[in-house]
Amino acid sequence: MAEESDLERTEEPTPKRLQDARERGQVARSRELTTFAGLLAGGALLLFAGGGLAVALGDLVTRGLRFDRREAFDTQAAVTRLLELNTDAVLGLLPLMTAVLVIVVLASLLLSGWVFSAEPLTPQPSRLNPFTGIARIFSVVGLVELLKSVVKTVFIGAVAFWFLWTHAAEWLQLADGDLGSSVVGGMRRIGEGMLWVVGALALVVLIDVPFQVWNFRKELRMTKEEVRRETRESEGDPQIKARIRQLQRAAARRRMMANVPKATVVITNPQHYAVALRYEGGASAAPRLLAKGIDLIALRIREIAAENDIPILEAPPLARAVYAHTELEQEIPAELYTAVAEVLAWVYALDQQRGDIAPPTGIAVPPGMDPLADGPAAAAPRGARGPRTAGGMAGAQGAGGAGGGSAGMVAGVGGIDA
């Protein structure tokens, strides 16, 4: 059952499939719409400009039936006059034909826009298969086209008959007038009748256009397997992409772990979080985050730090705050300057070999920085806190700092006299 479901064309065509069909010249078209537009343009022109056109064509016919003796016996003169009359006839009908042609072309572009493709002109032997043609005739589309043609013929024929019947007296009155007024009146009546026919055809167009769009998309429907195959071709195999992302994360993790030996201090949760910070005194305005992780990654960071004799300090709120608010290779936010300064003061004291230096305890972080702290302030957005400036870090350094490494930053902080 699953295989049968995958082979059924139940999925809507994707943008790529629609674009491929468009490149092949396969788009939604409605012949009724172009017919409607052509009749509408022709009827309107006959209604409003039919009189002038009739007069011009009548004068052309009069000139064509009048000739002198020289033209009757001179073949060259007769041919020249015939060419002149044909040219005048084309020029007289050119505005009407041009207007109708432009309207028809614009109407054909309404559904799918401009499409140029030479593929429909390519000979295809499958089109010569009589069985395919018979199947197309008796298909749902063929039956709908047949029904549409019958309804259209009956409906439009009824409208045309009604117009002729109700205007019969006006048609008969044209015979009582002079030739010029009768021709002008006749052209206007023809234009009016075409507009009535166009009005009837509009109902057919309102049905045909949605049907053509629906049928076009129905023919392009895809099976589930086709959708999956197209997704793999356009976006790549999901398994391969997942493998690439996995390798990328592993490479980034290796690079991060390679930076841990360069850290000045590692701050832990102590079990779940670990962050490695580096401070280079005058080389940077504030400590930078070299590595961070939770659980197994945090354990690995602590192991590397122990292997390289890097001080490790348990300060859960500070470890969580740095982890949550600092990206790799970025400086810590200004709100954590004071808390980190206490840690670096302890590290500096260890570097100076001042005996058994007890690690600082109870290091507090500002409200809203610890993601596990209670209260709505914990969810404060990053941009809502104060700006990160070098001046803020300088305030934590004190005026009497000395030495290198972390000494400049932590001088005079936490009771450590540099």
Side-chain angles (χ1 to χ4, degrees):
M1 294 297 293
E3 294 181 357
E4 293 180 359
S5 176
D6 287 347
L7 295 177
E8 294 179 358
R9 297 186 178 276
T10 58
E11 305 301 312
E12 289 296 320
T14 61
K16 182 180 182 302
R17 186 174 180 87
L18 292 174
Q19 182 61 30
D20 292 343
R22 186 179 184 87
E23 293 175 356
R24 296 192 303 268
Q26 186 179 359
V27 292
R29 295 294 190 197
S30 174
R31 288 177 294 180
E32 307 303 334
L33 179 60
T34 55
T35 303
F36 168 80
L39 291 177
L40 179 62
L45 288 174
L46 289 178
L47 180 63
F48 297 105
L53 180 63
V55 172
L57 293 179
D59 180 66
L60 185 64
V61 172
T62 301
R63 290 168 51 197
L65 296 177
R66 185 186 300 122
F67 54 91
D68 54 23
R69 183 176 181 280
R70 182 180 64 86
E71 294 173 347
F73 293 95
D74 188 350
T75 305
Q76 183 63 35
V79 171
T80 302
R81 182 173 178 79
L82 181 62
L83 290 176
E84 292 177 355
L85 292 174
N86 289 334
T87 302
D88 292 341
V90 171
L91 294 178
L93 294 175
L94 186 61
L96 175 63
M97 294 187 296
T98 302
V100 173
L101 178 62
V102 170
I103 296 298
V104 168
V105 171
L106 292 178
S108 65
L109 299 179
L110 285 178
L111 287 182
S112 304
W114 176 262
V115 178
F116 178 79
S117 175
E119 186 167 339
L121 303 178
T122 305
Q124 296 182 7
S126 60
R127 296 178 179 176
L128 302 178
N129 188 347
F131 298 102
T132 303
I134 295 174
R136 187 183 304 113
I137 293 175
F138 291 98
S139 65
V140 176
V141 177
L143 295 177
V144 170
E145 291 293 334
L146 176 61
L147 179 62
K148 183 180 64 176
S149 298
V150 172
V151 172
K152 179 177 65 175
T153 302
V154 173
F155 185 59
I156 294 178
V159 172
F161 177 79
W162 169 84
F163 177 78
L164 293 175
W165 182 263
T166 55
H167 294 77
E170 299 177 7
W171 290 106
L172 295 176
Q173 290 176 359
L174 294 177
D176 298 334
D178 60 278
L179 179 61
S181 61
S182 297
V183 171
V184 172
M187 294 294 286
R188 290 178 178 175
R189 291 294 176 272
I190 293 174
E192 184 179 351
M194 288 182 64
L195 291 181
W196 276 102
V197 172
V198 167
L201 187 60
L203 299 178
V204 179
V205 171
L206 292 177
I207 299 174
D208 183 66
V209 170
F211 171 76
Q212 295 297 337
V213 174
W214 171 84
N215 184 64
F216 168 72
R217 296 185 68 89
K218 178 177 177 292
E219 292 179 349
L220 293 181
R221 282 180 182 174
M222 308 170 65
T223 64
K224 296 183 185 304
E225 177 59 28
E226 289 176 335
V227 173
R228 288 193 290 266
R229 183 170 61 250
E230 182 179 296
T231 302
R232 288 194 298 268
E233 293 175 354
S234 59
E235 300 180 2
D237 194 322
Q239 296 181 352
I240 297 178
K241 293 174 63 177
R243 178 58 178 167
I244 293 175
R245 287 193 297 267
Q246 181 182 0
L247 294 175
Q248 290 174 341
R249 287 194 296 266
R253 189 179 303 116
R254 285 194 297 270
R255 289 193 300 268
M256 182 183 71
M257 292 301 182
N259 288 330
V260 174
K262 304 176 185 178
T264 303
V265 65
V266 171
I267 306 173
T268 66
N269 192 32
Q271 296 293 332
H272 302 292
Y273 289 82
V275 294
L277 300 178
R278 178 176 177 81
Y279 183 65
E280 300 177 295
S284 59
R288 289 183 302 110
L289 180 64
L290 298 185
K292 66 177 182 178
I294 59 175
D295 297 332
L296 294 178
I297 298 179
L299 175 61
R300 182 57 183 159
I301 292 175
R302 294 196 301 270
E303 292 176 349
I304 296 176
E307 294 172 359
N308 291 271
D309 296 326
I310 297 173
I312 301 176
L313 175 67
E314 294 183 6
L318 181 57
R320 293 191 296 264
V322 173
Y323 182 91
H325 300 283
T326 311
E327 297 298 330
L328 292 175
E329 300 298 333
Q330 299 295 320
E331 296 180 354
I332 63 172
E335 295 84 349
L336 299 178
Y337 281 177
T338 302
V340 173
E342 294 185 41
V343 176
L344 294 179
W346 170 70
V347 173
Y348 176 69
L350 292 178
D351 290 342
Q352 297 298 318
Q353 298 293 330
R354 297 192 176 184
D356 188 10
I357 303 299
T361 58
I363 298 178
V365 297
M369 300 298 291
D370 186 356
L372 297 185
D374 295 334
R382 177 74 176 87
R385 297 187 292 272
R388 178 190 299 182
T389 61
M393 203 67 203
Q397 293 178 10
S406 61
M409 172 184 174
V410 301
V413 180
I416 302 299
D417 185 8

